[in-house]
Amino acid sequence: MRLAGGLGVIGAIGLVFCWWGGSGERTFEDGKDWVVGAVVAAALIILAAVHLLLRGFRRLREAKDDAVNRLLIALPPVAVHFEIPAERPRPVAELAPVSEVALR
């Protein structure tokens, strides 16, 4: 959290500073360095957001795994029995048209 917050704050300060510095230039050529600085600052903000999201996803996955493990320990083992039906469903081409079904 500190890393993401620090990168975000540094990026935001850099973005505001580049905006302020670039606003005093007369032409684009004069302010090109400020634009590059603003792009770098925006990249820092994006990097902070991605780091925060990935860290949060990792913590959610760890919490889910922990909850599943606790449930598996708490619940008794259960035998599972699967049955395969003897009749297979008919293909869609063999079914009656909708108009015939509606009239029945």
Side-chain angles (χ1 to χ4, degrees):
M1 189 72 175
R2 289 182 196 153
L3 178 64
L7 284 176
V9 167
I10 290 171
I13 290 171
L15 194 61
V16 169
F17 183 73
C18 288
W19 180 22
W20 177 75
S23 65
E25 302 296 337
R26 290 187 181 266
T27 65
F28 180 74
E29 291 296 323
D30 295 337
K32 200 183 303 185
D33 294 334
W34 294 108
V35 172
V36 171
V39 169
V40 171
L44 280 176
I45 294 171
I46 291 170
L47 183 66
V50 167
H51 174 71
L52 190 64
L53 284 174
L54 291 178
R55 180 82 174 156
F57 288 147
R58 184 181 308 130
R59 299 236 5 226
L60 281 175
R61 188 178 61 243
E62 290 170 357
K64 179 196 66 112
D65 291 343
D66 184 45
V68 167
N69 288 336
R70 287 177 188 247
L71 281 174
L72 290 176
I73 291 171
L75 296 176
V78 177
V80 179
H81 179 70
F82 292 104
E83 286 188 25
I84 299 175
E87 290 185 24
R88 301 183 84 188
R90 294 184 298 168
V92 176
E94 294 180 12
L95 296 176
V98 176
S99 59
E100 291 179 16
V101 173
L103 295 175
R104 289 184 194 173

